[in-house]
Amino acid sequence: MNAFKNHFSLVVALLGILFSLQTFTIVERAIDAYKQNLAHNYSFVVVSKKNIIETFFKEKYSLISKVDELSPDKVIKKLNAGIDKRNTELLKLALPKFYKLQLKHYPSPSEVNSLTKSLLRNNSIMKVETFAKSHDSTYKLLLLFKSVITVFAVSVGIITMLLISKELKIWQFKHSERMSIMGLFGAPTWLSSAVLFRLAIVDALLASALSFVLFIYISSNDWVVAELANIGIKIIIFNTFSDFLMMLTVSLVVSLLLASFIVISHKEEV
Amino acid sequence: MDKVIVAQNLSLGYSKDEYIIKDVDFSIDSGSFVFITGASGSGKSTLLKSLYGALKPETGSLVVAGVELKGVSKGKLNLLRRYTGIVFQDYKLVKEWTVEKNIMLPLIVGGYDKRVQQEQVEKLLSHVRLKHQALKYPKELSGGEQQRVAMARALSNNPVLILADEPTGNLDDYSSQLIWNLLEGANKDLESTVIVVTHHIPESMRVEYKHYHIEFGKIHERV
């Protein structure tokens, strides 16, 4: 019971940090995947007097990833009635060229603005359609979502830090007496604080292991997978190597900092 | 005879403006048994604290076992403490350790072999008549028993210097006698220098001793 009590508070606090950190990572990944989806479905339409080759676009504008020439056939087909084939060909030549430009990532409103201006500086380009209204509202929604998640993660972080500072006081009280007594018999700091560091490392390992199990469960949970599929996002919820390594590092750093702080602030009783 | 403690113009206190021990000179021979007496608040415990480096001299010099304690480094102080056995009035046992482990503390700090640690602990447990309590925790023992554990701990690494702060202050006659016997034994058999701060010098002392008395911040030898 005593051993359980010794570990419980710090493990819970560390779990809080790891949970908010991994949740933030998952949301970041989801937003990135969603942005990729949006980028895939979003494009500029450029109207040009002359033919422009794809390499020209790609070389001059680094944001552009793919250029498709839009065929005017559909428009001409509508006007087809009563026009002979020769005139149809002439009409085809007289019509401006339409290009669909796909971008490397989902652009910010300022990127949209600067790319439009830059394209319009080219004399042959007559018009650039960016669908700005729908782009702006989607982008703002994304930013809002990201802000909400950031606020959530920061709040959980603050609450956890408060929990840890409370734990710090308990640890200071609990360990300083033993450290003082050991010091009175000539124990060097590393020896008198060994128990503290052992406890910190064990708690960090415990919290990382529990988070590992929790996120393995979440990542294989049917409901979570189905919900993500519903919004068309396919992401790795938990990378068993890199994410676990990040959790282990964070929990070790936090708990070792806590232990170091106690050792540094320890004063021998007089 | 070698001096284990030499104090010159020594002043001690908890604040710079108010000294409890003022400008004293004294020395203690190696292997001697010394009692320090004085009224409550006279500075007996303050002086003892300075001997194990918990309180640094404000002025003057204090040399213990060849180590100048004014401005001593942590490493040197730790080394000195490894050869010093201390008995506190409030025992200062580690609550979460068993009796056995508490006695082992100086041996653990000194890096003794596990087998030596175990042998020494068993020997001391029988000296303090606590063999049956080896695996108990301090809170499960009476005050007298706790002080006997503290005594065994102080003797575990055969220290050259033993400092005891009112070691029998609140103890029954049986525990008190046991503690005095152990202190006398350490002085006689191990040739340890023993310094005891107390209100009363027991009448049954079988070893030669010196008596210093503290009054108004000064130390006087009483013959």
Side-chain angles (χ1 to χ4, degrees), chain A residues 48 50-61 64 66-69 97 99 101 119 122 124-125:
Chain A
S48 169
K50 287 195 281 185
N51 265 331
I52 302 176
I53 52 165
E54 183 172 354
T55 46
F56 168 80
F57 278 116
K58 283 188 170 173
E59 274 168 16
K60 208 151 184 213
Y61 312 102
I64 295 168
K66 195 180 169 200
V67 180
D68 287 319
E69 189 178 347
K97 308 291 170 198
Y99 296 97
L101 310 182
L119 283 164
N122 188 316
S124 27
I125 293 174

Side-chain angles (χ1 to χ4, degrees), chain A residues 2 174-175 177-178 180-189 191 195 198 268-270, chain B residues 14 49 52 54-55 74 78 81-82 86 88 92-97 105-106 109 153:
Chain A
N2 231 357
K174 216 160 67 178
H175 296 279
E177 191 187 18
R178 189 197 58 249
S180 284
I181 294 171
M182 290 182 80
L184 289 172
F185 287 88
T189 309
L191 185 63
V195 177
R198 200 162 49 219
E268 192 174 82
E269 283 174 48
V270 177
Chain B
Y14 297 95
K49 278 176 187 172
Y52 57 83
L55 194 66
K74 187 86 180 104
N78 280 342
R81 285 175 177 180
R82 275 174 227 164
I86 316 169
F88 304 92
K92 290 205 190 304
L93 298 175
V94 181
K95 288 188 197 99
E96 58 272 29
W97 287 1
L105 173 57
V109 173
R153 177 181 63 185

Side-chain angles (χ1 to χ4, degrees), chain B:
Chain B
M1 196 173 254
D2 287 345
K3 305 285 183 194
V4 72
I5 293 166
V6 180
Q8 284 175 324
N9 307 319
L10 177 69
S11 294
L12 298 167
Y14 297 95
S15 71
K16 292 221 170 194
D17 321 322
E18 210 179 328
Y19 296 149
I20 297 169
I21 301 287
K22 288 169 227 152
D23 203 22
V24 298
D25 294 286
F26 70 93
S27 64
I28 291 173
D29 292 335
S30 181
S32 58
F33 199 113
V34 174
F35 282 106
I36 299 173
T37 58
S40 296
S42 60
K44 305 185 295 291
S45 296
T46 304
L47 178 65
L48 203 76
K49 278 176 187 172
S50 74
L51 298 181
Y52 57 83
L55 194 66
K56 303 280 184 309
E58 289 292 342
T59 62
S61 134
L62 177 62
V63 179
V64 177
V67 178
E68 168 59 80
L69 293 184
K70 194 174 182 192
V72 67
S73 68
K74 187 86 180 104
K76 256 190 176 171
L77 185 62
N78 280 342
L79 204 64
L80 172 69
R81 285 175 177 180
R82 275 174 227 164
Y83 296 100
T84 309
I86 316 169
V87 185
F88 304 92
Q89 197 180 3
D90 58 352
Y91 326 129
K92 290 205 190 304
L93 298 175
V94 181
K95 288 188 197 99
E96 58 272 29
W97 287 1
T98 60
V99 163
E100 198 175 66
K101 196 167 176 191
N102 267 291
I103 297 174
M104 254 179 217
L105 173 57
L107 302 168
I108 295 170
V109 173
Y112 286 77
D113 185 74
K114 289 247 183 224
R115 190 182 49 81
V116 176
Q117 289 181 20
Q118 202 56 50
E119 279 172 10
Q120 184 72 343
V121 166
E122 275 171 30
K123 194 176 88 185
L124 284 161
L125 275 170
S126 72
H127 282 178
V128 293
R129 317 268 194 273
L130 286 173
K131 227 171 176 175
H132 58 293
Q133 311 273 45
L135 298 175
K136 289 204 171 157
Y137 289 90
K139 66 175 179 193
E140 298 172 285
L141 306 179
S142 69
E145 287 173 324
Q146 287 189 51
Q147 190 61 301
R148 275 142 66 189
V149 175
M151 190 69 226
R153 177 181 63 185
L155 298 176
S156 67
N157 60 345
N158 302 332
V160 290
L161 177 63
I162 298 171
L163 306 171
D165 189 4
E166 303 201 27
T168 57
N170 306 309
L171 304 189
D172 56 83
D173 290 347
Y174 173 75
S175 293
S176 297
Q177 195 50 55
L178 209 60
I179 299 280
W180 291 124
N181 289 346
L182 286 165
L183 287 171
E184 282 177 342
N187 178 245
K188 227 166 93 183
D189 306 331
L190 304 173
E191 296 180 351
S192 305
T193 307
V194 180
I195 301 172
V196 182
V197 160
T198 185
H199 280 290
H200 306 287
I201 299 171
E203 286 166 9
S204 57
M205 287 300 291
R206 286 165 301 180
V207 293
E208 262 186 58
Y209 63 85
K210 278 190 173 179
H211 178 195
Y212 289 98
H213 187 75
I214 302 182
E215 205 171 28
F216 307 120
K218 299 283 182 192
I219 299 177
H220 312 278
E221 190 176 352
R222 282 192 175 171
V223 186

Side-chain angles (χ1 to χ4, degrees), chain A residues 4-264:
Chain A
F4 176 76
K5 269 202 291 190
N6 277 345
H7 294 284
F8 182 75
S9 340
L10 184 63
V11 170
V12 167
L14 287 174
L15 267 176
I17 291 181
L18 298 183
F19 185 78
S20 58
L21 193 73
Q22 186 62 22
T23 307
F24 190 69
T25 308
I26 292 169
V27 172
E28 276 277 307
R29 278 181 196 151
I31 289 174
D32 282 347
Y34 192 60
K35 266 172 125 178
Q36 280 301 318
N37 265 358
L38 286 174
H40 190 71
N41 296 324
Y42 176 75
S43 52
F44 279 27
V45 172
V46 169
V47 185
S48 169
K49 290 180 219 163
K50 287 195 281 185
N51 265 331
I52 302 176
I53 52 165
E54 183 172 354
T55 46
F56 168 80
F57 278 116
K58 283 188 170 173
E59 274 168 16
K60 208 151 184 213
Y61 312 102
S62 58
L63 194 60
I64 295 168
S65 68
K66 195 180 169 200
V67 180
D68 287 319
E69 189 178 347
L70 298 171
S71 164
D73 290 351
K74 270 190 184 172
V75 184
I76 290 168
K77 216 174 179 182
K78 278 188 184 171
L79 305 167
N80 217 0
I83 301 174
D84 60 27
K85 203 179 172 187
R86 197 171 153 268
N87 283 336
T88 308
E89 287 304 314
L90 280 172
L91 185 64
K92 226 181 198 179
L93 285 172
L95 272 176
K97 308 291 170 198
F98 295 88
Y99 296 97
K100 190 172 108 178
L101 310 182
Q102 283 205 326
L103 306 179
K104 283 180 181 162
H105 61 82
Y106 195 65
S108 66
S110 66
E111 281 176 315
V112 170
N113 217 3
S114 105
L115 185 59
T116 308
K117 277 183 185 162
S118 182
L119 283 164
L120 284 172
R121 256 182 246 129
N122 188 316
N123 289 334
S124 27
I125 293 174
M126 299 155 66
K127 190 168 169 52
V128 178
E129 178 54 61
T130 60
F131 311 100
K133 215 174 167 185
S134 102
H135 166 272
D136 281 7
S137 58
T138 312
Y139 195 82
K140 278 174 188 159
L141 204 69
L142 261 178
L143 284 183
L144 176 73
F145 186 51
K146 211 170 167 179
S147 305
V148 167
I149 289 301
T150 309
V151 168
F152 163 77
V154 169
S155 313
V156 173
I158 289 170
I159 292 166
T160 318
M161 288 321 275
L162 287 175
L163 267 176
I164 287 195
S165 69
K166 190 176 160 246
E167 189 59 20
L168 182 90
K169 281 181 190 150
I170 297 170
W171 273 31
Q172 258 173 335
F173 175 74
K174 216 160 67 178
H175 296 279
S176 68
E177 191 187 18
R178 189 197 58 249
M179 285 166 69
S180 284
I181 294 171
M182 290 182 80
L184 289 172
F185 287 88
T189 309
W190 68 264
L191 185 63
S192 59
S193 57
V195 177
L196 194 66
F197 280 100
R198 200 162 49 219
L199 202 66
I201 291 169
V202 168
D203 285 4
L205 292 177
L206 265 174
S208 307
L210 285 172
S211 306
F212 180 83
V213 173
L214 179 71
F215 280 101
I216 284 284
Y217 169 74
I218 290 174
S219 62
S220 59
N221 183 283
D222 291 342
W223 181 81
V224 176
V225 175
E227 282 300 307
L228 285 173
N230 276 347
I231 48 171
I233 290 174
K234 205 177 169 192
I235 53 160
I236 298 168
I237 295 174
F238 184 68
N239 186 317
T240 47
F241 179 72
S242 63
D243 287 356
F244 178 67
L245 198 68
M246 179 191 71
M247 283 178 166
L248 191 64
T249 310
V250 168
S251 56
L252 275 172
V253 167
V254 170
S255 52
L256 290 177
L257 273 178
L258 177 72
S260 307
F261 187 80
I262 292 166
V263 173
I264 292 165

